[in-house]
Amino acid sequence: MIVKKKQQPEQFYLYPNKLVEEVFNSTTEGIMITDDQMHISLVNAAFEMVTGYSLDDVRGRNPRILQSGKQGSAFYEKMWKDIHTKGVWRGEIWNKRKNGEVYPELLSIASIVNSDGEVTNYFGIFSDISRKKFIEQELEELTLTDQLTNLANRSTFKESLNELINLSIPNNFIHALLFIDLDRFKHINETVGNEVGDLILTEVANRIKLIVKENDIFARYGGDEFLLTLSYIHHQKEAANHAKEIIKSLNKPFYIDGNEIYITSSIGISIFPQDGIDAEKLIHKADKAMYFAKQNGRNQYAFYFEDLKKDSKRLLLLEAELRKSIQTKEFNINYQPKISIVNREIIGVEALVRWENNKLGNVSPSEFIPFAEDTGLIIPLSEVILEKVCLDIMEWRSKGIQHLSVSVNIASLHFQQDDFIERINAILMQYNCSPSQFELELTERTVMKDAQGIVNKLIKLKNMGFKISIDDFGTGYSSLSYINRFPLNYLKIDSSFVQQITSLKDKQAIVDSIIMMAHRLHLKVVAEGVETKDQVKLLKEMDCDIIQGYYYSRPIPSSELLDFIELWEILKQERNVL
């Protein structure tokens, strides 16, 4: 009887050395084996792929052919000490490929000993960690830099400034910190879009870089805010000069995607060590100084001083109370009459908001209106004002005054909203008020921001029945070429010209020219800020159409306005008004 051997699975016929060979050449880690004298005897396919060297290139050679030179002799001495004492070493090392490219690898080296404890071979297993290092570098850059401008970011700036401070305290060095903020940049984004806004921010960074010295620290703090540390200055005048230079540089036009854009900046300055000995305090105080510069007209710089602490507390309270008052509509509207110089008729009134707060007292419009514009609160505030005016118009109707025209100041930010027309029309409809009873006053700067878009919006408003006026004419762009493009009813001459027409011939000539130009364009002219009889006479000689000012009446509450109208009719009949 013949007994057949049961056939074994195929892998049982692999010799051990064949199995090792399969594993050796299929692993993704590079492997190198040397003899006890560190002569390379064997490498695998992954080694050849990573280093570029073939087995024939390296057989019999010392592994030092891979050294990049980035690690010194001390590094290798420690490595071999570990191998000799512990039998193994593991760590990161920089090696060099055959083509000369330096790369990082994670390497493990171990010694092989025989039964007598003698070293017979060494073997190394490594993996290329270039990709890992690249990702780590990218993450580090993301952590340390601003991605839009490639400047240092806020945290990097603080760290660098604190390091500079630590070096400076024992040496009595002086540094200045400039907090740079672009004025009304939010309006620019809303007008030209965020993409153009980002290009402007990049260009701003590039312009300031030209002013920055080698040892200075320049960073984007966030949004449209930048920080600059002027290191090792001798006097704070140097900080002032740098601030002036930055303001001058940023005043030059920006040409972005066919747009010519102008911006201004406000800069606050704090000084180390007198204003603080850590980054946080210096930034905070420079920030306060920057807001002071904004409040005092923008496009300028200011140094921090101690009284700003009070101002900062007031600003916090101002914003909190303004928000509350908008919600509860705790504002009053005063009205200043506008008188026709031809027939002495009251042809309308201007609505002027007043705010008396139980915590802040009587707050001047010159304080809370610019603040509302900067914070965006001007939009809900303007709508509250319009509602208040509509309520007064309803009351006037009930007392027989049907068609008194009311002019309302429209803030630039409010006018630029896409739904501006729909929102104000909704308010008028809610109170059954006609657009024909309203005159919208806009500044020159507002109408010049986006000429064609403004024209379209103004035409729509005029078709609805609104009258349109350019307020403070002569103080803005004063480009007569654009006036004819807009569907206007009135030009309103700024009070700064009117108040000096009897004393300064050049002011008189400007007012006279504006009136003649307006009449040729079939526009009526309002002179505001009229305070004296001589001013009225001179404006009459110039054929001005409408007078507004303290000469006839201060701004008065709605209840007093009704009395004024009644008294005016009596005086007019008695020919007792100029």
Side-chain angles (χ1 to χ4, degrees), residues 390-551:
C390 287
L391 287 169
D392 285 337
I393 289 174
M394 291 174 66
E395 183 183 358
W396 300 340
R397 283 185 199 151
S398 69
K399 297 188 178 179
I401 299 175
Q402 298 292 331
H403 305 293
L404 185 63
S405 177
V406 182
S407 61
V408 180
N409 291 281
I410 302 298
S412 177
L413 179 61
H414 191 200
F415 187 75
Q416 290 170 21
Q417 301 304 302
D418 292 338
D419 60 350
F420 169 77
I421 295 177
E422 290 76 12
R423 291 176 71 96
I424 64 168
N425 191 48
I427 293 172
L428 266 59
M429 290 178 65
Q430 180 183 352
Y431 295 96
N432 194 28
C433 292
S434 170
S436 62
Q437 202 165 347
F438 283 86
E439 176 188 329
L440 305 181
E441 294 192 7
L442 300 103
T443 65
E444 286 182 271
R445 289 178 174 83
T446 299
V447 299
M448 285 298 290
K449 285 188 176 179
D450 176 18
Q452 191 53 51
I454 295 295
V455 169
N456 296 337
K457 189 175 284 188
L458 290 177
I459 289 173
K460 188 172 182 180
L461 287 166
K462 194 164 186 179
N463 289 339
M464 292 170 66
F466 289 101
K467 293 181 280 293
I468 311 296
S469 171
I470 296 295
D471 193 14
D472 299 336
F473 186 79
T475 61
Y477 291 88
S478 300
S479 175
L480 304 184
S481 62
Y482 77 84
I483 294 295
N484 198 38
R485 297 185 58 195
F486 299 121
L488 305 176
N489 299 96
Y490 302 97
L491 285 187
K492 196 167 188 180
I493 303 175
D494 186 66
S495 60
S496 62
F497 294 102
V498 173
Q499 289 169 4
Q500 300 181 60
I501 58 173
T502 58
S503 58
L504 296 176
K505 293 294 183 182
D506 59 338
K507 300 295 184 185
Q508 187 179 128
I510 291 172
V511 172
D512 196 21
S513 299
I514 292 173
I515 292 171
M516 286 192 292
M517 181 271 299
H519 286 167
R520 288 183 180 179
L521 295 174
H522 309 291
L523 303 176
K524 290 190 175 182
V525 179
V526 181
E528 67 175 343
V530 179
E531 297 181 353
T532 69
K533 186 175 183 178
D534 289 340
Q535 290 170 353
V536 175
K537 286 182 177 179
L538 189 54
L539 288 165
K540 185 178 180 180
E541 292 172 7
M542 294 178 181
D543 291 328
C544 183
D545 302 289
I546 300 164
I547 300 294
Q548 178 183 344
Y550 273 51
Y551 179 74

Side-chain angles (χ1 to χ4, degrees), residues 113-250:
V113 296
N114 59 21
S115 56
D116 296 325
E118 298 170 334
V119 175
T120 60
N121 301 89
Y122 296 97
F123 75 88
I125 301 178
F126 66 90
S127 55
D128 186 342
I129 56 172
S130 299
R131 180 62 181 167
K132 175 176 175 286
K133 286 291 184 182
F134 175 78
I135 293 172
E136 287 176 353
Q137 184 179 352
E138 288 286 296
L139 290 173
E140 183 178 3
E141 289 179 0
L142 285 171
T143 304
L144 299 178
T145 62
D146 172 64
Q147 296 306 294
L148 176 64
T149 61
N150 289 323
L151 298 175
N153 61 18
R154 181 187 312 197
S155 60
T156 307
F157 179 89
K158 289 180 180 178
E159 184 178 342
S160 299
L161 179 54
N162 280 324
E163 288 177 1
L164 179 64
I165 287 171
N166 290 336
L167 293 173
S168 302
I169 289 175
N171 297 298
N172 297 318
F173 293 135
I174 302 173
H175 313 295
L177 193 152
L178 276 60
F179 196 116
I180 306 161
D181 181 87
L182 305 184
D183 297 324
R184 297 186 176 181
F185 188 73
K186 181 181 177 183
H187 299 175
I188 293 176
N189 270 337
E190 290 170 348
T191 303
V192 298
N194 290 330
E195 289 186 5
V196 174
D198 285 348
L199 292 174
I200 292 173
L201 290 172
T202 302
E203 178 60 21
V204 166
N206 291 336
R207 290 189 187 184
I208 298 176
K209 280 180 187 176
L210 298 176
I211 301 169
V212 174
K213 305 191 303 293
E214 184 179 353
N215 292 325
D216 295 340
I217 309 169
F218 183 34
R220 184 184 178 202
Y221 191 63
D224 60 342
E225 297 171 332
F226 297 84
L227 295 174
L228 172 60
T229 295
L230 302 175
S231 55
Y232 307 111
I233 64 172
H234 297 93
H235 194 279
Q236 67 182 37
K237 286 182 181 179
E238 294 177 48
N241 291 335
H242 272 77
K244 290 176 186 175
E245 195 173 351
I246 291 169
I247 289 169
K248 182 179 178 181
S249 174
L250 299 184

Side-chain angles (χ1 to χ4, degrees), residues 51 59 256 459 479 552 565 573:
T51 66
R59 183 185 280 121
I256 309 288
I459 289 173
S479 175
Y552 288 126
I565 293 172
Q573 290 172 10

